Amino acid sequence: MRRSDSEAIEAAIEDDADEAIRLCEALLDEDEGDADVWAYLAEAQLAAGRSRRALETLAQVVELDPEWIEAYTLRAEILMDQDRGDAASIELDVAADIDAEDPRLLRARALAAEIAGDFAAADALYREAEETDVLWPAPPRLNRSAMSRAIAAQIDAGPVLIEEMPGSGPSRLRMLDRDGKGLTVYARNVERELDGGGAIEDVVMLVEEALEDLGD
């Protein structure tokens, strides 16, 4: 894969995920055995909100490169989002056989702990991932009351309730729910997007973006 192609795909993923998908598909028409392009295609599909397609694409990545650990952890995250915890556990077990100390695996296990409601175990795993590799910092833990006040002050959506994680629903990794009574924000799903840095202002921005996506 040419460096110019990877740079073009990365830029498109940020600006236009559908264009990134088209770029990847064009490259795969030339060489369908390039695992790097398949991995970029999965990333673009996730950016475009096509998680089910990304799940299939990542299966192609591991077929071409059985030790591509991030493909397994991404598949696990997609499956966890779909509330398919048993299937996600299989992906994580395969990843552990490759490298049980990989920070991406530790973070995926932290996410599984969050979904299970074991927040202390999750935070310990996030810290372990950061200690293993500083490029994977633990998510910040921001003041929940301050988060609620800032969102209510900036967004006209009624009363704001902060919860740690969704208990059920179509997506276990969604940032918020909105109904006629107000807004429920899931703090840990927001904080995970901040990765170590970030502040209350960044939370407000992410909530605004999530609300815009709901409007779509």
Side-chain angles (χ1 to χ4, degrees):
M1 183 178 186
R2 296 181 297 269
R3 182 176 179 179
S4 58
D5 290 329
S6 62
E7 290 175 345
I9 294 169
E10 289 170 4
I13 288 173
E14 292 294 324
D15 298 330
D16 185 346
D18 289 332
E19 174 61 18
I21 291 171
R22 287 191 288 272
L23 289 171
C24 291
E25 290 175 341
L27 289 171
L28 289 171
D29 285 340
E30 299 174 7
D31 180 8
E32 64 180 12
D34 192 327
D36 290 311
V37 180
W38 283 102
Y40 271 125
L41 176 59
E43 185 178 350
Q45 289 168 332
L46 285 172
R50 303 177 192 176
S51 59
R52 295 185 184 278
R53 295 295 300 274
L55 196 64
E56 298 169 359
T57 300
L58 289 165
Q60 183 66 32
V61 174
V62 297
E63 182 175 333
L64 293 168
D65 187 346
E67 295 195 354
W68 195 308
I69 196 166
E70 190 169 15
Y72 296 106
T73 58
L74 280 175
R75 278 178 57 84
E77 290 175 14
I78 294 169
L79 291 165
M80 283 187 273
D81 186 42
Q82 298 173 355
D83 209 11
R84 297 168 64 189
D86 290 344
S89 293
I90 294 171
E91 301 290 336
L92 296 182
D93 288 344
V94 175
D97 287 340
I98 300 169
D99 184 356
E101 298 181 357
D102 189 287
R104 293 163 295 188
L105 173 60
L106 294 171
R107 286 179 63 89
R109 291 203 182 283
L111 176 57
E114 285 180 317
I115 289 174
D118 193 344
F119 303 133
D123 287 344
L125 285 162
Y126 282 127
R127 288 193 297 270
E128 185 179 351
E130 183 174 19
E131 290 166 3
T132 302
D133 189 339
V134 295
L135 295 177
W136 297 95
R141 296 294 170 232
L142 304 174
N143 182 278
R144 292 348 190 193
S145 295
M147 190 184 295
S148 177
R149 290 194 300 271
I151 294 169
Q154 296 293 323
I155 299 174
D156 183 15
V160 177
L161 174 65
I162 304 295
E163 294 187 1
E164 294 300 306
M165 293 285 291
S168 61
S171 168
R172 296 303 297 273
L173 305 186
R174 65 191 187 277
M175 290 188 189
L176 56 83
D177 283 320
R178 185 178 188 179
D179 58 28
K181 298 179 181 179
L183 191 65
T184 300
V185 176
Y186 302 108
R188 284 177 172 262
N189 284 343
V190 176
E191 289 170 335
R192 201 178 308 108
E193 297 296 315
L194 302 176
D195 276 351
I200 297 294
E201 292 78 10
D202 300 301
V203 170
V204 175
M205 180 185 69
L206 288 171
V207 170
E208 287 176 331
E209 292 175 352
L211 278 171
E212 289 176 3
D213 290 341
L214 281 181
D216 294 341

